[in-house]
Amino acid sequence: MNGFTVGLGDLGNTSIQNVETLFAQANGALGVRSSLPILDSDSNPGSFLNAYYESHDIIYGENAYGYAKKHETMVKLFDMRSIDIEILGDNNLKLQKEDISLDMAKGILNEEYIYTTIDGKRIKIELESFASHFDRNVYAQKIIITALNFSGQLSINKSVKHILAKKDEDFDPRVKEASVNLIVEENKYTTPNSNLSFFVNFDEINENLEINEGESVTFKQIYQISRENKFTSPTYDHLKEKQIEIFNRFWESSDIEIEGDERLQKGIRFNLYHLFNSAGRDGHSSFGAKGLTGEGYEGHYFWDTEMYLLPFFVYTQPEIAKSLLTYRTNILDKARDRAEELSFKGALFAWRTIDGHETSAYYPAGTAQLHINADIAYAFELYEKVTGDSDFIEKSSDVIFETARFWYSYGFMSERGFEIHEVTGPDEYTALVNNNYYTNKMAQNNLNYACKLAKRMNVNIEEAAKWEEASNEMYLGYDIERGITKQDDSFLDKQVWDFENTPKENYPLLLHYHPMTIYKYQVLKQADTILAHMLYDVSNEQMERDFDFYEPLTTHDSSLSKAIYGVVASKIGRSDVAYKFFKEAATMDLEDQQGNSSHGIHAANMGGSWLGLLYGFAGLNINNGEVITHNNLPKEIKSLKFTLTINGEKREILIK
Amino acid sequence: MNGFTVGLGDLGNTSIQNVETLFAQANGALGVRSSLPILDSDSNPGSFLNAYYESHDIIYGENAYGYAKKHETMVKLFDMRSIDIEILGDNNLKLQKEDISLDMAKGILNEEYIYTTIDGKRIKIELESFASHFDRNVYAQKIIITALNFSGQLSINKSVKHILAKKDEDFDPRVKEASVNLIVEENKYTTPNSNLSFFVNFDEINENLEINEGESVTFKQIYQISRENKFTSPTYDHLKEKQIEIFNRFWESSDIEIEGDERLQKGIRFNLYHLFNSAGRDGHSSFGAKGLTGEGYEGHYFWDTEMYLLPFFVYTQPEIAKSLLTYRTNILDKARDRAEELSFKGALFAWRTIDGHETSAYYPAGTAQLHINADIAYAFELYEKVTGDSDFIEKSSDVIFETARFWYSYGFMSERGFEIHEVTGPDEYTALVNNNYYTNKMAQNNLNYACKLAKRMNVNIEEAAKWEEASNEMYLGYDIERGITKQDDSFLDKQVWDFENTPKENYPLLLHYHPMTIYKYQVLKQADTILAHMLYDVSNEQMERDFDFYEPLTTHDSSLSKAIYGVVASKIGRSDVAYKFFKEAATMDLEDQQGNSSHGIHAANMGGSWLGLLYGFAGLNINNGEVITHNNLPKEIKSLKFTLTINGEKREILIK
């Protein structure tokens, strides 16, 4: 199919590790980086199981009460892709990529490599591979090896190789070494500390064969990794057939056709493809910041899932959305414990976690981001609005009630209204402030939704009245003189960051300035007040003033930023600006704009690019089950065609 | 001499480790905990060299740019006190303290112990010991062993024993394991990481002797520890004679006679005695938070030196004050580097350090306490005012200029005035705020002093004009409605801590609540605005309103708190309140009020108790070389007699 293929040519001149990330294959349970069949010294091969982690004590230079106690790090498992090939009497091989082509329509990766020996013998390696969406325990690979210009003896070996822990490299707080020395008993592998096991099942290749010039040999490999020691015996061809069927159905529900820009068309499909691949499906896993494509952010789940990814799933793959929300209901008890540990009522979800415990070792940009509670409540509400699945919501209602309880216990009523202090908003270049606008706005909604839900279910009636009052009286800071929404109580009192004298190489700021230095200035890493405006309308004039105030202060050092500014630019009719932001969001990983796609995809931005198209260019909203759209298309895009699933029914929409 | 002796009876029922701290012997270079001659399982023996530390990388769960890189930990050296005694055929010994008596007049510790065997044989051990102030490399001990009720063979062995690293015990962020495995080459000991060496020189005791009932055997031991491998051959008796002379002179210059309260008289002398003992004398060491008596706070130097201890030294032992200030001039280059690392000009002194590098692993209650810069400048200014030693000040003027430069670069001019953002004041129960009153007030003085000094020396004239403007325009927050000085921009907006529902066992709060939880309330660990009022007069009415507002919000969880509130209570004529605070400050360690004297003395509080008497009850101030006093004596104290050294001349003062 046209526009469904991404090849090496689409990436430009990029690194081996970026390629590994971008062409990684995943199915929500299992992810495999697309490393070279013969490793290069720059290779960073690996596979991951969603929610499979090792834990370590967090060591603090200065500890304090209530700090997160354990790291949780997604474990880098096996190299399932490298092949040992020997040609008798001539072992020095040079690998050359001929072509890599990702068939997104089918969910299958095709690769072709040429090996050349010093003596000039040439071998072609063709690979076809996929992480099966039919049997999520499976990574499948077809290998065809052809002797191009010689006859001789060939030895081919392929096993699944343990990945050993590497030494620390350059300092980057956003990555964490993920390889762990697993305990092996037969086919069972166990982490030493977290004591989590999985089982493997696969056949090795051990072949010594005579090959004639022009001849090929083919292997079809099934690698099975499962948290339970139960394996089926699928055939490669059957799995491939099913893979194609599943991807067909996926695109039927989720594709977006952009008329007018092939590059963006490819970019958005690439993003949706990865979203579909890395989302957990079992209610006990979610969507890591880098999906299942790399070890960045330790495989942790953040608020990104709810605020950047969920909308796409809610509107087009509601079953996946439900599974991601179910994950939150399954960790609710840990969130309750955390609230108690902090001396408050209700539940506080961990800022970053895999199994539900708070693992953020720097609370000012971790636990203090209380907004995650309201983000989760928001996602449940959105799910209900779009799917109409009130049964699930009522069954999960404790998530809504307990988060509301937390707000009510953490905040307090003053003369100004209901205030929420000592929090960090989405913009981590400002920390530990009072009345962050985004946080208060989201908490307001959390309290309000809890109140409505309580009334509807006729439970918690007394509390609901208090929640309602807190919601109604929520303090939202505003600077009358300047006509600006206040990001927080003190933001407007600060000095403006000296952008003019900040050299380009000093971005992202967080890698070049002490947090304290950054916090004291008016400077944003990412959309904050503007994100609230994306979700909750204010007047166009207000949105414009805030946009014009906050956008120039934003470095977009976070990949979570541009897409949101893009949506709001659409809302205020600045389609040229929206287009510019969308373009960058749509191709952020393809073009390695953040310089660290090697750590894994920027999943939130991928979800953000969907928001840019749907919330932005298509003006999508939902009100009482009614879909609202608005044509905000920039001049570069002629039309937008997409399918949504509303109340269980498919709706095709064309904006032009 | 009367009132110069502290015995076991003065302590009440206390722990072995508290005794070790309280009777520790030190001379500014070397400190020895007064552990039992036969160790108990609860013993924590040890000796320390001032500024002798080992370093370790600080490990961060989440690292960031500009974080402190290395721990520095004062090393616990030898057990120099334990003796091995065997009575042939009867080894099971029980130790009993008969008496311990600290002769503060002479600087000598006397101890008497009885050993009893299972068979009822009894040995008396008498110890006389001191850390020599004449030869600061020496710890000297006279040991008399008497067979009380038997004759027989006695084996006596005494060597200087290495102290091995212990396992972590209960969590308390305020202590740190200090024992290190030193590298030993002959008599040279070296830390593996910081690569600092010292040398030892001492004779061991290895005696097997026949002893008759009633007979004694005496040993006079000299233990020498030096950073250089040069040793003299002092005799015990000569050192003892010199020790007595030196302490005679010390008390002549520094004693305070309190008429009316023997307990307080003893308490204050005990405090002054320890201050004299633990202050560094060589310009490369300073005064650790616990002096040389224990391993609390890793032996680090904080702002305590300048704000709590220096006044005592400046007014009574100016040579020691000068040495402590010289330490700051010697680490100025490291402070310059730190300012640059944080992207500002001038110099920023480390919040906690030994060799000058910032070692605070939690910057919100570390580096963010920028006020240390101004505290240091304040101490230099006080030294000049009291001693008239302008030569030293002009030689050290870079400390004043560079700290002023830092303020000018860190703060900024706004419509409100010169503002200083993102700082933590002395009260660590509020962090990372804007315009902390104490910080701004102290910075104002720092800038002003720098300006005057620049003009006087005719240097930095252009900068001086800017410093003057910043100082003149310094923003100092005030709440007109309530008539209250604002601790910072946001403090008055916060909720009041729920003191009523906080159980007694939850103090100190920092051991029972997450920092974020504490920060969001109006609650103070220690004097903050009130400390500024102690230093810089405001109207009595203002001081009263602020006292009445802030004191009830203060938990005094820090030992740096009560003394200051006491002084200000004196200033506003509340001598009953002042007396209560002073009483607690004067006997804080004697009575183990903080529950952790075992970690070492609370040196700042000891200095604070001097402030309570002199700044508080005697209303001491200095203006243009003129000493000002005021009788603020509480009814319990009839008179106060003390000596000061002003402009090099002794002045005896009587307040009655």
Side-chain angles (χ1 to χ4, degrees), chain A residues 62-63 65-67 173 342-344 361-363 410 412 421-422 493 495 511-514 517 519-521, chain B residues 62-63 65-67 173 342-344 361-363 410 412 421-422 493 495 511-514 517 519-521:
Chain A
E62 264 180 82
N63 204 343
Y65 179 90
Y67 276 12
L342 296 182
S343 320
F344 299 102
Y362 178 62
Y363 77 84
Y410 189 89
F412 67 106
H421 281 194
E422 210 65 27
D493 297 337
Q495 247 180 314
L511 296 187
H512 301 91
Y513 299 91
H514 193 290
T517 304
Y519 294 168
K520 80 187 271 292
Y521 294 98
Chain B
E62 264 180 81
N63 204 345
Y65 180 89
Y67 276 12
L342 295 182
S343 321
F344 300 102
Y362 177 63
Y363 77 84
Y410 189 89
F412 67 105
H421 282 194
E422 210 66 27
D493 296 337
Q495 247 179 316
L511 296 186
H512 302 90
Y513 299 91
H514 193 290
T517 304
Y519 295 167
K520 80 188 269 293
Y521 293 98

Side-chain angles (χ1 to χ4, degrees), chain B residues 472-489:
Chain B
N472 290 340
E473 300 292 322
M474 184 64 66
Y475 172 73
L476 298 167
Y478 190 74
D479 184 275
I480 293 169
E481 220 168 282
R482 286 187 258 197
I484 299 293
T485 306
K486 286 168 85 167
Q487 180 170 318
D488 59 60
D489 279 0

